[in-house]
Amino acid sequence: MLTEHEKLLAGQEYDYRDPEIQKLIQKARSTASKINQETDVKQRQALINDLFDQVGDNLALMSPFQVNYGKHVKIGNDVLINTNCNFQDSNLIAIGDRVLIGPDVKFYCGEHALDARKRFGVREDGTRYAITTTRPIHVGNDVWIGGNATILAGVTIGNNVIIAAGAVVNKDVPDNCVVGGVPARVIKGLPKIEE
């Protein structure tokens, strides 16, 4: 039988109030709070390395930022995460190399049922709980995500992509393009980057 955390990572329905999940969330929020306040560069880097599953070289993480778990986030090399970003990493968030993430960008891995009757479950003791499922988010290399953009569950963003400020990305984005709008759509192509 899977734990609620294992169900979460498998994209199955899980109970968000599960004690193991709550413990992971509280640890991540505590560590993020310390990072947001830490001024010593070495201490801050040690906290960042402890929080995230993988951290590449030259990460610039601007405070404040928020994260649910931290341990579900993988960050490549030469990444900038600007102020007020929110990582709802109830599943994997994988960020490639040379990625610029503008201020107020949100990554949301969690989802709820469209049918309101399926949004809540009932425990054996009669208490109700919100039913959530999750899907991972993948961001390729050489991506610029403009301020206040929202990336939704299950999205894969290709390489050499610009996400316009304020866009809501609810489906996969191909390589070499600019997308924008609500919901985001391809606006124009970009020249392919030669390796």
Side-chain angles (χ1 to χ4, degrees):
M1 181 146 178
L2 296 177
T3 67
E4 295 302 308
H5 186 235
E6 290 169 335
K7 291 177 189 176
L8 172 153
L9 292 172
Q12 298 177 10
E13 292 179 2
Y14 71 97
D15 184 351
Y16 173 79
R17 295 182 298 181
D18 175 73
E20 177 191 10
I21 289 175
Q22 288 302 307
K23 184 177 178 182
L24 291 168
I25 290 170
Q26 293 311 314
K27 180 181 185 299
R29 288 186 179 162
S30 173
T31 304
S33 178
K34 291 174 186 172
I35 291 167
N36 287 332
Q37 296 173 22
E38 184 60 63
T39 57
D40 181 85
V41 174
K42 288 184 179 180
Q43 289 282 10
R44 192 169 191 272
Q45 188 61 52
L47 289 165
I48 289 168
N49 291 341
D50 182 54
L51 176 64
F52 295 126
D53 179 53
Q54 176 183 314
V55 179
D57 296 332
N58 303 317
L59 169 64
L61 177 62
M62 306 299 177
S63 294
F65 83 101
Q66 296 179 19
V67 66
N68 272 16
Y69 297 87
K71 67 186 293 179
H72 302 152
V73 178
K74 296 176 184 280
I75 300 172
N77 298 319
D78 304 309
V79 172
L80 166 67
I81 301 171
N82 215 316
T83 57
N84 292 315
C85 288
N86 190 335
F87 288 71
Q88 298 286 319
D89 62 322
S90 50
N91 205 308
L92 174 67
I93 297 175
I95 297 170
D97 297 333
R98 301 171 304 281
V99 174
L100 304 174
I101 300 173
D104 302 302
V105 170
K106 298 160 284 296
F107 294 89
Y108 296 144
C109 290
E111 299 176 298
H112 304 283
L114 294 177
D115 183 342
R117 297 167 294 181
K118 297 179 181 178
R119 289 187 201 139
F120 285 87
V122 180
R123 290 192 175 129
E124 291 179 11
D125 65 4
T127 59
R128 296 175 68 79
Y129 64 95
I131 296 173
T132 305
T133 57
T134 69
R135 291 187 289 159
I137 295 171
H138 298 275
V139 178
N141 299 325
D142 302 300
V143 173
W144 172 21
I145 301 175
N148 204 35
T150 301
I151 315 301
L152 298 179
V155 166
T156 295
I157 297 172
N159 297 315
N160 187 33
V161 168
I162 297 172
I163 307 293
V168 176
V169 183
N170 65 349
K171 60 183 177 181
D172 290 352
V173 177
D175 293 345
N176 309 308
C177 68
V178 178
V179 300
V182 179
R185 61 177 178 76
V186 175
I187 296 170
K188 67 177 187 176
L190 292 172
K192 184 176 179 181
I193 295 175
E194 298 300 327
E195 297 289 326

